[in-house]
Every structure is written in structure tokens, then in C-alpha cells.
Amino acid sequence: MHTDYNEPKRLLAADPAIAERLSTRQAEIDAGASTNSATRAGLMMGGAVLATAALATDVFGQSSNLPGIVVDVLNFALTLEHLEAEFYVRGVGTAGLLPEEMRGPFDQIRKHEVAHVAFLQSVLGSRAITKPTFDFTAGAGGGNGPFADVFRNARTFAAVAQAFEDTGVRAYKGQAANLMGHDDVLRAALRIHSVEARHASQVRRMRGQKGWITQSEPGNLPAAATGSYKGESNKFQFILGQPDSNAQAQTEAFDETLTKGQVLEIVRPFIAGGM
Amino acid sequence: MGDVTGTRGVGAAALAVAQQADTALGTAWGHSNRREFLRLAAAGAAALGLTTTMTGCVVAAAGTKKLDFRDDFGILNFAYALETLEARFYEKVVAAPPRDLRPGELQILRDIGDHEKAHARFLKRSLQILRVEVPMSVWPGIDFASRQSVLTAARNFEDLGVAGYNGAGTRLRLAEFLTIAGKIVSVEARHAAALRDLLNPGSRDFAGDDVVDANGMDRALEPGEVLAQAQKYFAEPYRAVGL
């Protein structure tokens, strides 16, 4: 179920805040608090490392405690993170694809997306979806879509990366309200969301674009990517209109949401056999 | 500065916000928008509890200003203070840019300043009934004649903003406020990444290991921690309650 991206799985305990929560939880368990069988098994096997993922699941609320809507949101996020992680693992791992100046930034992005996959899988446990089979040419499995040279041409690779990141930002944003009341999950999602935005800014700037989205401009991406920018020109925030002389800045200042349906429509061509 | 703490309930305040916004926007604001706002105002009042008093305002008292984090309005008020601070910073930078800025950098700083202005204006309008005022700004340790100093300060403001919104998200009780905070924070993150790349071009710093942890997650700071870091830029200190 868990996907190997040729990298050791990252330890949640590397985050001090999470580590603190884990150790607190461990102390509670040591003191006799009830826990789930996976955590107990992990703890009984003795190693903190082995127990980490199970404990994380325990702290964040195992599938059985998470309501269906939260599981749906997290699996939706996991689908997008799988897409991004595999994309960057392949891109960074393809000799001769990326020029020197892009290699560091894309490798940093790869590292984060792989970590996001591992984190979401650890929270979802057995309810995590399996990784779909992707077609990064956007050919729905045919391998000959509009981005046919995605792993042979750095420009195409960066263009697809921009579409993924800008879409990812909007996707997380659109789901935040569905996570209200589940503070650990919501906080984690928000903290991933802003990292996706950092990625988006960097990829856009490496492509010679502004780091932010003006109006609904696709930022020199082909027509196949316009769906990622639909609605970005919105000028009405929280129903308060913004009669603003600087309409361009107004649209740049607020990233807009996408619904789950809109996002799935955007990524459908990248998934073999559709969704 | 009106003190609206006390008897006025959230519902009444929200309605007053709606009415003021209605007046301010005049005919440009359609009937359906007005109806939608009243629906949201009612939902907000319900979410926060009709008996809750409006505690989130900034109240002038004995040389300090109070920020009450017990409700959504207090959190948005704090966001307003920080966005105003950022907007003033970039305004000052753009008015007299460091001479050693590199090509293209002034435009980036101007863009960011315009975004912060838009954020501050939006929040001010949303909080109109509270008559918020942000203390005068001071700039300890920032050399406005130095590119390095200005970009570093800008980066710190943006990183702090990102961590602040990330940390405040779970405190918001009205879904619409959470969504709007999300629309703003990702733009702050875009700024932070761009400024970090200007300081160290082509590096991994745009999402460096100093701000993004091993889970690929950005920082999240509690409002009190953010206030502690921002406090020195306000001529009058804020006093936080409800944390």
C-alpha cells in the first residue's frame, strides 16, 4: 500500500512539535491510556522508529475516529500528493532533463511532496487509497498527451510543475473548511498548503513568471492548463466587493479555491484510465 | 476609538457590519450579495454564540491596545494589524528604494506592497464596525538604504505572516473566515518564497529547511508568539488576552 519513492520514509518525530505530542501520547499510553492495536504492536516491537507511524496515526485520530468527510479530504489530498511526488521523483531522477539551476529547487520540492505522501498515508492508515497509475503527458494513459516531452524537455517539465503546484494550492484551500473541528488534521493541511504555495511561487519564477497569479492568466502555459486558473480573477472576497483602482493587484492578492470536482477534472488526463 | 465591548452582541455587530458595508458599497453591491452577507452574518453570530459579546476589538487603554483572541474578530483584528504593518513597510521601501536593488526587484516589492494593501483594506472593511486602529509603526534594526536589510526584513515579515495564519487557522470558528485566511496565506507564502530566492537565487531557500520541516510542513505559530515577534514594530504595545 505504501509507495516506495526510493527514499527512506521520513520520521514524523523529526518535527519537534509532533515529536512532543508523540512522546506525550506515549507517556499516556505507558500510564495505561487506551490505544489502538497498531500502536500497541508498534510499541511492543520495541523501537520508537517502528512505532512512530502507528503513534502518529493514533495521535491524529485513526481512520476509525476520523469521520468519512475527513478521510475523503485526506485521500483527495493524497491523490494529488502521489501525482506530485511521482512526477518530481521521476523528473529529478531523469539524467540530463534539468539544467543545473533548476535541480536544487526541484529536488527540494520532491523532498516535500514525498514527505506529504508519507504523512497522509500515516494518518489514513489502512484507509489510504492506493497510488493511481499516472500519465504525465496528460494523455490519460496513452502516454502521448499535450505534454508528450515532459521528461525530455525541462520547459515542459516546469510548465507541468507550475500547473500542479498552482492547482494544489487551490485544492487544499478549497477543503480547509471541511476539516474544521479536527484541529490536528486542519493544522497539518494548512502547513502543507503554504508549502505548496512556496513551491508554486518558485516554479513560476523559474519560468520567468511572477510568483503570484494575475487575473486568470495561465502564465504562459498551454491551453490544456487553463482550468487551473479558472476563477482566479475573482474580485469579491467574502461577498465584500473590492472596488479597487488596482484590479490586477486585487486578483493577485487573493488565491482562489477550487472544488474537489474542479480539481479532479484538471488532473483526470494525468491519470491512466481516468478516475 | 469606540469600545464596543459590553452589551452589543455579535449578531448585532455583524448586522451593523453588513449595513455599513452596504452603505459603503452602495449600488455596486447587488441584492443577492446583500442577502448572502446577512445569511453569513447570521451564521457567524450563531457560530460564535449569540450571547458572546464583541470582545475582539482593539481597545485603547492606558497606553496599550488590547487584542482579544477569544473570537474570530480578535484574530482578524490581529491579522489586520500585521497586514497594515506590512503594507506600511513596503510603502516606505517603494517611496525611497535602496540604491543597490537589482533589476526587477523594485517591481516585486511594489507588487507585494500592493497585495498587502489589498489584504489590509479587505480586513478593515470586514471589521468596519470595530473601528480598528493600528498604532504607528517603528522600524528597529531595518536599514531602508540597504538591499540586504530590506529584503531580509521583508522575508521575515512574510515568513511570520505565513506561520501566523497557519497557527491561527484552527481558532477560527466561521468557515468563511477560514477560507479567506487561506486565500491570503498562500499569497504570503508566495511572497516569502520569492524574497528568499532574491536573497539566495536558485537555492533551496524558497522553502528552506529552516522553515519547512521533515514532514514538508511550514511553520505554525500561536498568535501570542507572533505578537511577541511583531510587537517591536508597533509604537504602542499590544496587550493580548484570551490566549
Side-chain angles (χ1 to χ4, degrees):
Chain A
M1 162 82 57
H2 290 198
T3 309
D4 177 15
Y5 285 114
N6 305 318
E7 168 160 317
K9 191 179 289 293
R10 307 210 156 255
L11 286 185
L12 290 157
D15 180 311
I18 292 175
E20 188 184 328
R21 301 221 36 206
L22 292 177
S23 57
T24 304
R25 183 67 182 135
Q26 176 136 31
E28 288 167 8
I29 292 165
D30 290 346
S34 68
T35 179
N36 62 44
S37 57
T39 305
R40 273 197 305 279
L43 291 170
M44 278 162 59
M45 286 164 85
V49 172
L50 289 173
T52 298
L55 262 172
T57 307
D58 184 52
V59 166
F60 279 85
Q62 168 55 312
S63 17
S64 58
N65 296 330
L66 292 174
I69 187 168
V70 174
V71 171
D72 286 350
V73 169
L74 294 179
N75 268 326
F76 170 58
L78 181 55
T79 304
L80 300 177
E81 297 289 358
H82 270 309
L83 174 78
E84 292 181 316
E86 185 171 309
F87 175 70
Y88 293 112
V89 167
R90 278 191 66 180
V92 171
T94 300
L97 172 63
L98 298 173
E100 186 58 35
E101 68 272 16
M102 287 188 178
R103 212 166 293 151
F106 275 126
D107 189 56
Q108 186 76 350
I109 296 175
R110 174 203 59 78
K111 183 170 81 172
H112 296 156
E113 309 300 7
V114 170
H116 296 164
V117 168
F119 173 78
L120 291 169
Q121 285 178 327
S122 73
V123 174
L124 283 161
S126 62
R127 291 169 83 177
I129 52 138
T130 49
K131 184 178 73 63
T133 302
F134 297 117
D135 176 357
F136 295 107
T137 72
N144 199 26
F147 305 111
D149 62 350
V150 64
F151 292 118
R152 295 193 305 275
N153 181 338
R155 285 169 176 271
T156 306
F157 182 81
V160 173
Q162 179 184 317
F164 284 172
E165 297 297 338
D166 277 335
T167 303
V169 172
R170 302 184 68 181
Y172 271 98
K173 197 189 314 296
Q175 296 304 313
N178 287 331
L179 301 177
M180 288 182 88
H182 304 277
D183 285 0
D184 290 328
V185 176
L186 173 58
R187 188 176 290 108
L190 293 175
R191 295 175 61 199
I192 292 174
H193 167 246
S194 62
V195 171
E196 301 291 341
R198 287 178 187 268
H199 296 169
S201 176
Q202 179 68 17
V203 173
R204 296 176 63 89
R205 295 186 62 255
M206 288 195 297
R207 296 187 65 246
Q209 305 294 314
K210 288 184 173 188
W212 22 93
I213 301 166
T214 306
Q215 300 284 359
S216 294
E217 294 169 11
N220 199 25
L221 291 183
T226 50
S228 299
Y229 300 92
K230 198 176 166 201
E232 274 288 353
S233 58
N234 173 41
K235 292 175 196 63
F236 291 84
Q237 299 305 337
F238 190 45
I239 61 83
L240 293 177
Q242 300 273 315
D244 198 316
S245 56
N246 193 344
Q248 174 170 319
Q250 178 60 35
T251 65
E252 292 173 352
F254 297 87
D255 280 337
E256 300 299 324
T257 59
L258 283 173
T259 66
K260 186 176 172 182
Q262 287 173 313
V263 173
L264 293 178
E265 198 57 42
I266 289 166
V267 302
R268 193 185 309 278
F270 292 96
I271 294 176
M275 290 186 70
Chain B
M1 157 109 1
D3 182 352
V4 294
T5 318
T7 55
R8 194 198 303 253
V10 166
L15 189 62
V17 173
Q19 285 163 347
Q20 287 205 16
D22 194 23
T23 306
L25 296 167
T27 53
W29 206 33
H31 179 66
S32 61
N33 277 336
R34 187 153 50 229
R35 215 169 42 197
E36 174 69 358
F37 188 88
L38 291 171
R39 185 188 71 75
L40 288 173
L48 297 166
L50 277 165
T51 57
T52 310
T53 51
M54 181 67 77
T55 55
C57 63
V58 183
V59 180
T64 65
K65 288 186 186 296
K66 188 175 80 172
L67 278 172
D68 189 326
F69 290 98
R70 276 175 294 193
D71 63 33
D72 287 21
F73 295 96
I75 293 160
L76 293 184
N77 232 334
F78 184 41
Y80 172 63
L82 293 177
E83 296 287 356
T84 301
L85 181 66
E86 289 183 317
R88 288 173 182 166
F89 168 79
Y90 291 106
E91 195 168 30
K92 189 166 162 63
V93 169
V94 168
R99 287 171 183 273
D100 56 343
L101 282 186
R102 295 173 190 167
E105 291 181 337
L106 180 57
Q107 185 57 47
I108 289 173
L109 292 165
R110 191 177 282 133
D111 278 3
I112 297 176
D114 286 345
H115 303 161
E116 307 303 3
K117 219 176 290 175
H119 294 162
R121 199 163 33 220
F122 162 75
L123 288 163
K124 180 167 191 168
R125 185 169 289 162
S126 304
L127 299 168
Q128 206 160 19
I129 186 63
L130 302 178
R131 301 182 193 288
V132 289
E133 283 177 16
V134 180
M136 298 288 286
S137 302
V138 289
W139 311 106
I142 301 175
D143 176 2
F144 284 86
S146 154
R147 169 187 182 273
Q148 183 72 22
S149 179
V150 162
L151 292 181
T152 302
R155 177 201 67 192
N156 292 343
F157 282 133
E158 301 297 334
D159 279 340
L160 185 63
V162 171
Y165 278 106
N166 281 348
T170 54
R171 290 173 175 261
L172 291 170
R173 277 173 281 180
L174 190 55
E176 283 78 3
F177 286 160
L178 176 62
T179 299
I180 202 82
K183 291 180 175 200
I184 293 174
V185 66
S186 58
V187 175
E188 303 288 338
R190 290 174 185 272
H191 296 164
L195 290 160
R196 285 169 156 268
D197 194 59
L198 294 184
L199 284 161
N200 191 4
S203 70
R204 297 167 183 247
D205 287 4
F206 67 96
D209 295 349
D210 58 326
V211 279
V212 180
D213 70 14
N215 289 307
M217 294 188 194
D218 227 316
R219 294 188 306 161
L221 290 175
E222 290 297 316
E225 299 174 272
V226 178
L227 181 59
Q229 291 189 41
Q231 193 80 279
K232 65 180 173 186
Y233 300 108
F234 295 111
E236 269 180 278
Y238 280 106
R239 189 167 58 84
V241 298
L243 287 175

